[in-house]
Amino acid sequence: MQRRAQREQPERAKRLTRVLVCAAAVPVMLVATGCSSDSGPDDGGGDKAASASASASPSPTVQAAAYRTLPEACRALSKKTLEDLAPKAKSGKEGSSDDVASRASCSWSSLDNNGVKGSQFRWLNVSLLRFESDTTRGPGDKLAQEYYDKQVREIRATPGAKGLNAQAVTGTGDEATAVRYDLKKKEGTFKQQTVVVRVENVVVTLDYNGAGLAGDKTPDAAALLADAKKAAKEAVLSVTRANGPAAASGSPSAPASGRPSAPASKAPSASASGKS
């Protein structure tokens, strides 16, 4: 019995040693597992990468408008033109505007009183409206075209217009339409001519009407229309000249400074809505 007990003691010692070795290994595994968990998705690396990607996204841009300003409306037509179309007008009456670089107008009234032989009346008005490019609404020339189309539609729908006729006008701006009609009033029959022109991001509307009052003869509508077209073309040239030599020479996309325009801001211009 004593020899058997002596043989079993070494075996138990070996088993105890193995148990202690395994027990010592357990904390090492736990530590390793804990360290590896620190490098998981909770370390914020994913959020930082997403943030960096979002900040790298480019801001929306739109091509800058070609024209940045307008001429003085009362100087948009030459002295010679005013003498021909409104000979008795002393001066132009400037329309109210809170931003003359975006919206301007001027009108002239002429009454040639011939006493008992009657009188000749003429009224001339030029309106200028400039549209700025906007990242939400689109480029200035597109906004101007939309307004141009609207203007022509509204003029063609003038209440009480008689013998209305609309025709395209060539050689003036990017697109132009002339609308003429008669309006009967208590003073007489007024011959109305309206020429609407779009040049880049600006819309020019020129109104010209005439009437023979107190028994004087009615003016010739064809002659009035020819004068209106000539004046509208002159007003368009004033717009290009107001924006620098490059614009006046046929390159309106170059600003007055001669340097490329910067991308337009997102804030809409007050000029993009309404009528002059």
Side-chain angles (χ1 to χ4, degrees), residues 188-256:
T189 299
F190 287 74
K191 298 288 184 177
Q192 175 68 39
Q193 328 293 318
T194 301
V195 182
V196 186
V197 186
R198 181 187 70 82
V199 53
E200 292 287 349
N201 57 308
V202 174
V203 176
V204 177
T205 303
L206 188 133
D207 293 293
Y208 186 47
N209 67 44
L213 308 179
D216 204 350
K217 64 179 181 179
T218 301
D220 180 62
L224 292 179
L225 181 59
D227 286 341
K229 290 180 179 179
K230 178 182 176 182
K233 189 171 185 176
E234 190 173 303
V236 169
L237 184 58
S238 293
V239 173
T240 60
R241 285 175 174 169
N243 285 272
S249 65
S251 302
S253 59

Side-chain angles (χ1 to χ4, degrees), residues 61-75:
T61 59
V62 64
Q63 183 177 356
Y67 295 141
R68 295 180 175 180
T69 191
L70 295 174
E72 292 183 44
C74 290
R75 294 186 178 183

Side-chain angles (χ1 to χ4, degrees), residues 69-76 93-108 125-131 147 151 202-206 235 239 271 273-276:
T69 191
L70 295 174
E72 292 183 44
C74 290
R75 294 186 178 183
K93 182 180 179 181
E94 186 175 1
S96 61
S97 173
D98 55 359
D99 182 6
V100 293
S102 297
R103 182 195 305 270
S105 65
C106 192
S107 62
W108 298 263
N125 182 79
V126 59
S127 297
L128 311 169
L129 190 59
R130 185 181 66 87
F131 291 82
Y147 180 76
Q151 276 281 78
V202 174
V203 176
V204 177
T205 303
L206 188 133
V239 173
S271 68
S273 62
K275 190 175 180 180
S276 297

Side-chain angles (χ1 to χ4, degrees), residues 71-151:
E72 292 183 44
C74 290
R75 294 186 178 183
L77 301 177
S78 68
K79 184 178 179 180
K80 176 66 167 58
T81 297
L82 293 174
E83 289 176 349
D84 291 343
L85 273 63
K88 297 299 180 177
K90 294 182 179 180
S91 61
K93 182 180 179 181
E94 186 175 1
S96 61
S97 173
D98 55 359
D99 182 6
V100 293
S102 297
R103 182 195 305 270
S105 65
C106 192
S107 62
W108 298 263
S109 291
S110 173
L111 180 63
D112 186 6
N113 192 336
N114 297 312
V116 295
K117 295 182 179 180
S119 303
Q120 284 292 320
F121 174 79
R122 299 289 185 274
W123 182 76
L124 174 65
N125 182 79
V126 59
S127 297
L128 311 169
L129 190 59
R130 185 181 66 87
F131 291 82
E132 191 57 85
S133 295
D134 180 81
T135 54
T136 301
R137 301 177 64 224
D141 58 346
K142 176 178 176 292
L143 298 175
Q145 184 176 36
E146 292 173 355
Y147 180 76
Y148 165 86
D149 292 338
K150 179 183 176 183
Q151 276 281 78

Side-chain angles (χ1 to χ4, degrees), residues 1 10 17 33-34 44 53 59 76 85 93 104 107 150 153-154 157 167 175 193 198 210 217 222 224 248 251 257 268:
M1 293 293 293
T17 299
T33 302
S53 175
S59 300
L85 273 63
K93 182 180 179 181
S107 62
K150 179 183 176 183
R153 288 196 303 269
E154 290 181 351
Q167 57 183 257
E175 51 189 332
Q193 328 293 318
R198 181 187 70 82
K217 64 179 181 179
L224 292 179
S251 302
S257 65

